[in-house]
Amino acid sequence: MQAPAIGGVQVPRGGGQTIRLPRGASLSDFADRIGANPASLVQIMLHLGEMVTATQSVNEETLQLLGAELDYIVQVVSPEEEDRELLESFKIEFGEDEGDEADLAPRPPVVTVMGHVDHGKTKTLDAIRHTNVASREAGGITQHIGAYQVSTTHEGERRKITFIDTPGHEAFTAMRARGAKATDIAVLVVAADDGVKPQTIEALNHAQAADVPVVVAVNKIDKEGADPTKVRAQLTEYGLVAEEYGGSTLFVDISAKQGIGIDSLLEAILLTADAELDLRANPDMDAQGLAIEAHLDKGRGPVATVLVQRGTLRVGDSIVCGEAFGRVRAMLDDNGEQVEEADPSRPVLVLGLTAVPRAGDNFIVVSDDRMARQIAQQRAARQRIADMAKSGRRRTLEELFKDLEKGQVNELKLIIKGDVSGSVEALEDALLKIDVGEEVSLRVLHRAVGAITEYDVNLAMADDNAVIIGFNVRPEVRARDLAEREGVDIRYYSVIYQAIEEIEAALKGMLKPEFEEVRTGTAEIREIFKVPKIGNVAGSMVRTGTITRNSKARLIRDGVVVADNLTVSSLRRFKDDATEVREGFECGIGVGYNDLKLEDVIETFEMREKPRV
Ligand code: GDP
């Protein structure tokens, strides 16, 4: 079906049809899907006020806008979906237990410990590990592999719990940002002598956003000034109501330092798991799960701690983990013991991968090495394309400025980190006062005191265009690496007005250019000639301004526009081609339109960018 011309361009209309595009697709990709000419889509975008080239990767909004204009429903495929489709092409389904109900067996809960800095997360993890009988029985040497498992007696039954032992929500958010969910339950550690703090809330928000039930460990009850009741009262404001107050959240008073209340904490975790979650998995299938931590070991090559989520992982299995693959050469548990197999919720250190996967990458056991390699290679190839799109999308302020000019972005998102809270607030205040009109706005996603952390970079990544501002602070090494790898812009300032000046400039650049139509000339038709190959040409008298070849034109009859989107395709003075003809002169004008009448007026105009004031 042909569209009524949009901006003078003919393109097939979708009629509500759905098309799927990868993130960071270009107009060329779009054109490909609908069998149109990329150049015509560029023109349509121009008509819609956005200037983009055919091959440039555009954001989702632009794809949606174009889709709406052409009557297509555009679905932008997320990286997770892309990966699922890739795996499907190998007949692998990630994240699903094979078989039916009868094949599922209970599995231990996987727990992450979160909370405000210095409230005792590390100490709590240590205390849990050391009061644990299982690890003492094993007599092994504690190995920090990123997660460990403990066992405890609960209602007369031996039960296991898995703890992810990188405390804090950075790891949690980083994984979630990548679509991975490792955690079943969050333990929120709050120091009883300090109470609820900003990071307590941040951690809680993350847990709630991920729909993960929370158990509160009220720590440091041994300290003078500890007020566990106050912690309970404070948290009710955030929707965590203690069981003893009629709510459903378990609060446990502990002293990580003195080992008080640790058993009750484990108990509370199991009670919460049993009450709120159905933790079961099929242990009899090829293993699947997530990488929790990985690094390059000098002697052993790439090593990765993986969390088995379903199935059983065995030595000798062919495995693909993110873009790494290989065969499981050996597995070690958190006591440094060799293990032959790992069942659901069990974390193990895997040796034998070809490369170092990233935290949050999924791992899958596949039937043979070849398939593992193929999947890994296709993922790597896709990642490269995504990176290219990303480098076109995550922008420095200067680049953002250009994107903004093209009208691709109209919100500048910032993350502000500063040395003292006074300066952070002052900067935020000043920035939010910058006013450049309604079309662009500035949004502060997060502000805090302290160095720029991985959390900040992850947050900026999650929001494609966020820029991080460091006021008298610098990034942590890992944050800087991550920012460099992911192309996140970090700007450093030590003088507030400098920051304001730059951001203001960026915001001004962000303003979509406004175009106005400027009439350049009019001509009255006095004679009509038929010219072979060209069609009808209007013998005209230029009444006002100048008629220029190639300028845009419309035809007006009795004050009514009868044809729009025309172009002065030929212009002649007597027998000669002319580039322009001024007021008071006669000329022959061809506009590629045959239905001309005497006394029609040809009006020419151009689109000019309105300067900003
Ligand atoms: P994190 O930043 O949340 O991991 O906190 P840490 O576990 O590193 O603990 C911070 C500080 O609080 C350390 O000096 C710990 O020794 C201390 N601490 C942790 N738990 C307790 C406790 O139960 N009682 C007391 N008195 N101090 C504790």
Side-chain angles (χ1 to χ4, degrees), residues 14 45 150 226 346 417 498 529:
M45 284 316 297
V150 298
R346 181 131 189 221
K417 296 299 287 267
Q498 224 170 28
F529 308 103

Side-chain angles (χ1 to χ4, degrees), residues 116-124 167 219-223 254-258:
H116 194 72
V117 64
D118 275 347
H119 278 198
K121 298 178 293 289
T122 313
K123 203 92 184 154
T124 303
N219 190 31
K220 306 197 187 183
I221 52 159
D222 59 291
K223 281 186 88 169
I254 66 165
S255 164
K257 197 172 188 173
Q258 301 185 351

Side-chain angles (χ1 to χ4, degrees), residues 4 78 90 165 201 205 221 228 239 256 329 396 399 409 418 440 465 539 544 559:
S78 67
F90 286 91
D165 80 354
I201 301 311
N205 289 342
I221 52 159
R329 198 168 70 226
T396 62
E399 290 163 323
V409 194
V440 282
N465 289 304
T544 61

Side-chain angles (χ1 to χ4, degrees), residues 409-446:
V409 194
N410 50 20
E411 188 174 58
L412 178 59
K413 294 170 195 137
L414 298 176
I415 293 166
I416 306 176
K417 296 299 287 267
D419 51 346
V420 289
S421 60
S423 60
V424 172
E425 279 159 27
L427 187 55
E428 181 178 0
D429 270 2
L431 290 175
L432 290 176
K433 277 194 196 114
I434 299 176
D435 182 13
V436 283
E438 287 190 346
E439 290 161 62
V440 282
S441 57
L442 187 141
R443 188 147 68 93
V444 178
L445 295 180
H446 176 65

Side-chain angles (χ1 to χ4, degrees), residues 16 26 29 52 100 104 117 151 182 323 341 384 413 418 442 456 472 506 518 536 543:
S26 63
D29 298 325
V52 279
D100 50 33
L104 301 179
V117 64
S151 51
E323 292 164 34
E341 49 178 49
R384 274 198 303 277
K413 294 170 195 137
L442 187 141
D456 302 320
N472 285 329
V518 181
N536 286 350
R543 288 285 180 215

Side-chain angles (χ1 to χ4, degrees), residues 44-51 405-407 512-513 515:
I44 291 171
M45 284 316 297
L46 200 64
H47 184 72
L48 293 171
E50 293 203 17
M51 287 182 225
E405 269 188 338
K406 291 180 201 136
K512 288 186 189 173
F515 286 91

